[in-house]
Amino acid sequence: MQNWIGEKTLHILGGKNNFDIIRYYLSFAVFFAHFGILTNTNYFLPTSSVDAVHGFFVLSGFLVFLSYIRNPQVGHYANRRIRRILPPYFFIITCCFFLGGIISSLSFGEYITSTQTWKYLIANYTFLNFLEPALPGVFSNNVVPVINGSLWTLKVEVLLYASVPIVYFLMERYGKLSVFLFIFIFSVIYNEFFLFMYSNTQKEIFLILKRQVGGQLVYFYSGTFLLLYFNFFQKRALYFIILAMLVLWFRDDNIVCKYMEPLAFAVALIGFAYNLQWFTFLRRYDNIAYGIYLFHFPVIQFVVWLGIDKINIHLALISSILCTILISLVSWFLLEKPVLQKRLPSFKF
């Protein structure tokens, strides 16, 4: 499989790029979208939260598949993915559980013995967040009582990661294009089926099912497609990027552009990552974009619960941003980075 890319291309792929600034932009696009929803304001970035999530899947398809190509051992691959994803994920669920016990409108005894509390823990620890997204008496007066509306993507991300060794094997056996074509057709049919079911029944469950792993395969493997045909793409990058921007512009008005949108999105993101040098300096620093994405929702909810948005919406925004960044830094240096480096922090008093 490594021969499909070549050593020279692998060297280029590992060189200067803008993935860090893209991650930060996508994280804050989700942040601002959620801030607007949770505070009933119009704070936003040009990129919607839906597009930002799709962007993350595109980047994962490119970078995670690249990681697997470099070391196609399932044990090593699974170990790296688990250590990157799970510690901060479990950390935020646990923190919200304890914070909920402090701020809940229920007494601590009622809170700790509530069936909803334990359903929340079990559902979220097992990635089934939609089964119980709220804690009893917590944020019940906010616009929505959901504890962390960002967590649903982690289940999808984990399942997409799990698909990589399988797709790798199938590509070796049946060829890249055949497997890509099957994935794209399957994912498009999956999306259209559940959209059709929702349109005819107006049942929310069909929208929930639509955005699960089957619907996101097309974005994840659009990133992988760009990876495996990187040389062809890079030689014609300018033309492909212009075409991709046109597709994205007309995606809501043209059925061909609608179905080409995931691949166009991948072209735009990967093209920006490797053909502009403005933000490559960020690679010298630790990246906390994952923490920002993971922690911002409960932080905004807490700020709203305190009523800061009613005092001054700009103060609420600044407070939410600073608290999210602070928690993300703490998580990175005391939890995520030590786990990735296979060591635990030592504390001296």
Side-chain angles (χ1 to χ4, degrees):
M1 175 79 73
Q2 193 160 311
N3 293 332
W4 296 357
I5 296 180
E7 292 294 337
K8 184 177 179 180
T9 303
L10 280 174
H11 179 73
I12 294 172
L13 292 171
K16 291 183 177 180
N17 60 67
N18 287 303
F19 283 119
D20 286 292
I21 192 63
I22 293 173
R23 289 191 187 99
Y24 280 124
Y25 178 81
L26 295 177
S27 293
F28 276 108
V30 177
F31 176 101
F32 277 94
H34 285 159
F35 185 86
I37 292 170
L38 298 175
T39 61
N40 275 324
T41 57
N42 292 320
Y43 279 106
F44 69 95
L45 289 181
T47 304
S48 71
S49 60
V50 174
D51 282 341
V53 169
H54 289 162
F56 278 122
F57 290 141
V58 167
L59 295 187
S60 291
F62 187 93
L63 295 170
V64 172
F65 211 93
L66 175 61
S67 174
Y68 190 78
I69 285 175
R70 284 174 167 158
N71 189 345
Q73 296 181 10
V74 175
H76 173 83
Y77 170 76
N79 181 274
R80 291 290 298 178
R81 301 279 69 78
I82 288 171
R83 286 192 287 122
R84 181 67 192 100
I85 292 292
L86 295 190
Y89 176 82
F90 290 143
F91 170 71
I92 190 59
I93 293 170
T94 305
C95 284
C96 289
F97 163 71
F98 284 112
L99 177 64
I102 297 171
I103 69 173
S104 175
S105 59
L106 279 61
S107 69
F108 184 75
E110 291 173 323
Y111 174 83
I112 204 69
T113 57
S114 171
T115 302
Q116 186 181 6
T117 299
W118 296 101
K119 186 178 179 182
Y120 165 84
L121 284 174
I122 294 170
N124 283 270
Y125 280 145
T126 56
F127 295 96
L128 302 175
N129 320 88
F130 64 93
L131 292 178
E132 187 49 78
L135 283 164
V138 180
F139 303 143
S140 53
N141 292 324
N142 287 17
V143 175
V144 292
V146 173
I147 303 299
N148 195 337
S150 300
L151 295 187
W152 71 269
T153 63
L154 272 296
K155 168 179 73 281
V156 176
E157 190 87 359
V158 168
L159 290 173
L160 289 170
Y161 289 171
S163 74
V164 167
I166 299 170
V167 170
Y168 180 94
F169 168 78
L170 292 174
M171 284 182 176
E172 284 193 315
R173 184 158 186 171
Y174 299 108
K176 295 179 291 183
L177 283 177
S178 298
V179 175
F180 276 129
L181 189 61
F182 174 80
I183 290 172
F184 291 164
I185 291 174
F186 169 81
S187 191
V188 167
I189 292 174
Y190 180 97
N191 272 301
E192 291 299 322
F193 172 76
F194 285 109
L195 186 61
F196 171 80
M197 292 301 294
Y198 174 74
S199 298
N200 282 273
T201 65
Q202 296 301 304
K203 293 182 178 179
E204 193 73 17
I205 184 62
F206 292 116
L207 285 184
I208 293 174
L209 290 171
K210 178 183 179 295
R211 65 173 187 246
Q212 300 308 308
V213 64
Q216 308 304 334
L217 282 168
V218 67
Y219 291 96
F220 186 88
Y221 284 103
S222 287
T224 304
F225 184 87
L226 262 290
L227 169 69
L228 298 184
Y229 292 94
F230 185 78
N231 277 337
F232 181 83
F233 162 72
Q234 193 65 359
K235 289 176 182 177
R236 305 159 183 84
L238 179 60
Y239 303 107
F240 280 125
I241 291 170
I242 292 173
L243 180 60
M245 298 308 294
L246 289 173
V247 168
L248 293 174
W249 183 264
F250 291 106
R251 61 182 169 173
D252 295 328
D253 305 311
N254 183 283
I255 192 168
V256 175
C257 293
K258 172 186 174 182
Y259 292 127
M260 291 298 295
E261 181 255 351
L263 193 56
F265 206 0
V267 168
L269 288 178
I270 306 306
F272 177 79
Y274 283 103
N275 292 284
L276 291 175
Q277 302 297 313
W278 299 341
F279 301 100
T280 57
F281 68 91
L282 287 174
R283 295 197 70 200
R284 298 196 297 266
Y285 307 100
D286 295 316
N287 189 289
I288 60 168
Y290 177 48
I292 291 170
Y293 176 83
L294 205 57
F295 304 142
H296 76 273
F297 199 99
V299 169
I300 297 171
Q301 285 284 60
F302 185 66
V303 167
V304 172
W305 179 81
L306 290 174
I308 298 176
D309 60 314
K310 300 296 189 297
I311 299 171
N312 187 294
I313 192 64
H314 305 298
L315 178 61
L317 177 65
I318 294 170
S319 301
S320 298
I321 291 174
L322 292 179
C323 287
T324 299
I325 291 174
L326 178 60
I327 295 171
S328 299
L329 287 170
V330 170
S331 174
W332 173 253
F333 285 109
L334 296 185
L335 177 63
E336 298 168 60
K337 191 173 183 179
V339 169
L340 286 172
Q341 295 177 343
K342 297 183 178 180
R343 63 179 176 83
L344 293 175
S346 58
F347 298 95
K348 295 182 180 180
F349 298 94

